[in-house]
Amino acid sequence: MCGIVAGVSGRNIVPILVQGLQRLEYRGYDSCGVAVHSGGLKRARSVARVAELQSQVDAEHIEGGTGIAHTRWATHGAPAVHNAHPHFSHGTGTEMQEKPGRVALVHNGIIENHDELRAQLRAKGYVFNSQTDTEVIVHLVDSLYDGDLFEALKAAIAQLHGAYAIAAFCKDEPQRVVGARAGSPLILGVGQGGEHFLASDAMALAGVTDQIVYLEEGDLVDIQLGKYWVFDKTARPVQREVRTVQAHSGAAELGPYRHYMQKEIFEQPRAIADTLEGVNGISPELFGDGAYSVFKEADSVLILACGTSYYSGCTAKYWLEEIAQIPTQVEVASEYRYRTSVPNPRTLVVTITQSGETADTLAALRHAQSLGMTQTLTICNVATSAMVRECKLAYITRAGVEIGVASTKAFTTQLAGLFLLTLALAQTRGRLTDAQEAEQLKALRHMPAALQAVLALEPQLIAWAEDFAKMENALFLGRGLHYPIAMEGALKLKEISYIHAEAYPAGELKHGPLALVTSAMPVVTVAPNDSLLEKLKSNMQEVRARGGVLYVLADADTRIESGEGLNVIRMPEHYGFLSPLLHVVPLQLLAYHTACARGTDVDKPRNLAKSVTVE
């Protein structure tokens, strides 16, 4: 979601700030801005891309050694220049209301009591020029300022309710930036030559510094030229570990591909291979020290996730209950955190998240822990994330940086990690023989080659996309293990092509959705050669009998042939339990090429963000 880059340097810091914003573009945003200390407060803001902001910076000769920058994803207030960050405080006198004050500030997160604070500040004479909750923070800091910006920020956050990552500087204190985090990520970058940085993502500082301090929940930070201090939530000074983090900018290079999403789809064979690297056998210890005792004690599994990660959890439920024979529940994190549930301390709580900073999933984890369910494990793509730090056990996927908002390789690597978890739990529960372990490991190791064969189907999917680009609605059908894959396919299509798409278990078709079927409603069907195939064929006949047009992803030996109203793409091979990893790839390609045909912004679809760090 929103991105922060800030810093203090003896050189012009603006190129670093703007470049940092460019590296955070993948998170999604609808406005951006930069502010510097240049004999006072000076800024540029835009509702276009960071490239346009760069043009403003160049035209207005914005330079300075201390600055903050931001990409905003609108929550309070529409995408507009006056709502874009950074925000400035303003004087309380009538003559000062349109002039920059002394504090500049950027903020990620949501302040829940902003209305109450806005009323109090207006009573003091502050005038608001935006609809954002962030402007409340900058005026509040200004109202508390008495010569020490750090003390003003510390006093201000004591009055804030909600989530925030904040960076601010003051015109009266050159070469100083202060920050704070609660519920939203913020890191400290230790640079060379005395320069220091704050950012919401280490990738923003790639090529500038690889020395990173991950600030913990409630931390405050004070960076100045040549020195920095970190304080915990009680305002006591603390030492946080400085880690070497290789956030290479090259990971974000597009290369020969048209979009990042296309690149990431084609990176899946490598991503799966990397995720499985070093897995020479099934062992609970793949998930961390002490995993065996945790798995042995567990009598059920609770999976918490959002969006695409939720669908990977839904797929894993089938594996866990059939292979490991352990009762499994999958919850949408944003729902679970607010509903009354029945806790079981012997439940293994599994969170799934690409970033490890997803606000709803973190809150759901903490809710489960508060109920006494302390046996926790995460499947996550970021080893240094809050989720990994807060869970007892972890399996780190190695998808690499994913720029496209619509997740692809993160999803398939999550499935790989969840399948390993299934096998480890099955082994611990005495449900996995040596022969079965060898068979499943062989299948996993073959997965990169199998994925390559599926990617070769791209030309056929481009032909399908030409049909879909003319449509406004679509249905996706799947049964059993492949129903979550149908849901993921529908999500991908609507995310990036803006075509309304829904997914159903195929057996539910006659219980309502069949009323929607016409020649203008394409029906995508995931048809592996499994025990439900004959039932699925009956569902397909129901569609054809009503004039519907079918687009079927069929295994080679299903004996489903193309014909009038029936379009078939044959998958290279049937893959048993791991079939979902193969069948989702054509659905990704279908969504991608449909979006290309419709001319949408594939990597940055409207209204969406990559990392959802607010509720």
Side-chain angles (χ1 to χ4, degrees), residues 332-344:
V332 175
S334 58
E335 288 294 311
Y336 173 78
R337 62 184 288 195
Y338 290 119
R339 78 174 186 83
T340 301
S341 57
V342 181
N344 173 8

Side-chain angles (χ1 to χ4, degrees), residues 104-398:
L105 183 143
V106 294
H107 157 239
N108 293 349
I110 292 178
I111 304 304
E112 296 172 0
N113 61 332
H114 64 95
D115 283 335
E116 174 189 339
L117 292 171
R118 183 179 284 107
Q120 295 172 7
L121 289 162
R122 279 180 171 151
K124 294 180 180 180
Y126 285 93
V127 174
F128 288 79
N129 297 317
S130 78
Q131 289 78 50
T132 67
D133 52 346
T134 303
E135 194 178 6
V136 170
I137 308 173
V138 73
H139 289 326
L140 180 62
V141 171
D142 182 270
S143 72
L144 296 167
Y145 184 74
D146 189 24
D148 188 323
L149 184 62
F150 180 82
E151 292 297 323
L153 179 63
K154 183 173 72 172
I157 63 173
Q159 299 183 41
L160 302 181
H161 300 160
Y164 53 80
I166 296 169
F169 71 87
C170 178
K171 75 171 186 179
D172 297 336
E173 298 181 70
Q175 298 184 328
R176 186 186 199 189
V177 172
V178 300
R181 68 148 295 185
S184 195
L186 191 67
I187 63 162
L188 162 66
V190 181
Q192 297 179 348
E195 56 186 22
H196 296 109
F197 305 92
L198 300 178
S200 49
D201 189 322
M203 189 174 171
L205 303 179
V208 178
T209 181
D210 61 0
Q211 299 300 293
I212 302 298
V213 176
Y214 287 90
L215 300 176
E216 297 187 9
E217 186 72 3
D219 278 358
L220 297 95
V221 59
D222 183 351
I223 61 172
Q224 299 181 29
L225 195 60
K227 49 195 173 182
Y228 69 86
W229 299 266
V230 179
F231 302 83
D232 66 15
K233 59 187 176 183
T234 66
R236 293 181 302 182
V238 290
Q239 296 291 324
R240 300 285 185 227
E241 179 186 359
V242 180
R243 306 185 187 186
T244 301
V245 176
Q246 301 298 330
H248 293 298
S249 59
E253 292 172 0
L254 188 56
Y257 296 96
R258 186 174 173 186
H259 297 95
Y260 285 109
M261 182 179 178
Q262 184 186 30
K263 177 190 178 197
E264 288 152 11
I265 290 171
F266 278 82
E267 285 177 338
Q268 287 176 111
R270 178 204 56 77
I272 293 291
D274 288 349
T275 295
L276 299 175
E277 185 179 357
V279 179
N280 299 313
I282 299 303
S283 166
E285 304 312 310
L286 289 171
F287 298 86
D289 293 340
Y292 176 81
S293 60
V294 172
F295 290 1
K296 194 72 175 174
E297 181 69 18
D299 65 5
S300 61
V301 174
L302 170 63
I303 296 175
L304 304 172
C306 301
T308 286
S309 297
Y310 171 74
Y311 296 142
S312 70
C314 290
T315 306
K317 176 182 171 72
Y318 287 90
W319 291 333
L320 287 160
E321 294 201 334
E322 183 168 353
I323 301 172
Q325 297 181 31
I326 185 167
T328 301
Q329 185 176 359
V330 188
E331 294 264 6
V332 175
S334 58
E335 288 294 311
Y336 173 78
R337 62 184 288 195
Y338 290 119
R339 78 174 186 83
T340 301
S341 57
V342 181
N344 173 8
R346 294 186 63 187
T347 293
L348 174 63
V349 179
V350 178
T351 64
I352 312 171
T353 163
Q354 189 279 135
S355 68
E357 304 288 350
T358 308
D360 283 320
T361 310
L362 278 167
L365 169 70
R366 293 162 185 161
H367 177 63
Q369 291 169 326
S370 74
L371 296 176
M373 295 192 289
T374 58
Q375 306 305 321
T376 58
L377 181 152
T378 188
I379 306 291
C380 183
N381 193 42
V382 182
T384 53
S385 64
M387 191 68 74
V388 174
R389 293 195 299 272
E390 294 189 26
C391 285
K392 182 177 291 187
L393 304 170
Y395 191 83
I396 307 303
T397 58
R398 296 191 177 109

Side-chain angles (χ1 to χ4, degrees), residues 25-30 49 73 259 261 403-407 491-498 595 600-610:
E25 285 189 290
Y26 77 97
R27 297 164 68 100
Y29 67 104
D30 43 46
R49 295 300 183 200
W73 190 80
H259 297 95
M261 182 179 178
I403 304 297
V405 166
S407 181
L491 177 62
K492 285 293 154 286
L493 189 66
K494 57 190 158 194
E495 275 184 308
I496 61 171
S497 74
Y498 314 147
T600 62
D601 191 342
V602 172
D603 289 330
K604 304 181 186 73
R606 68 189 182 202
N607 304 332
L608 300 180
K610 183 64 180 173

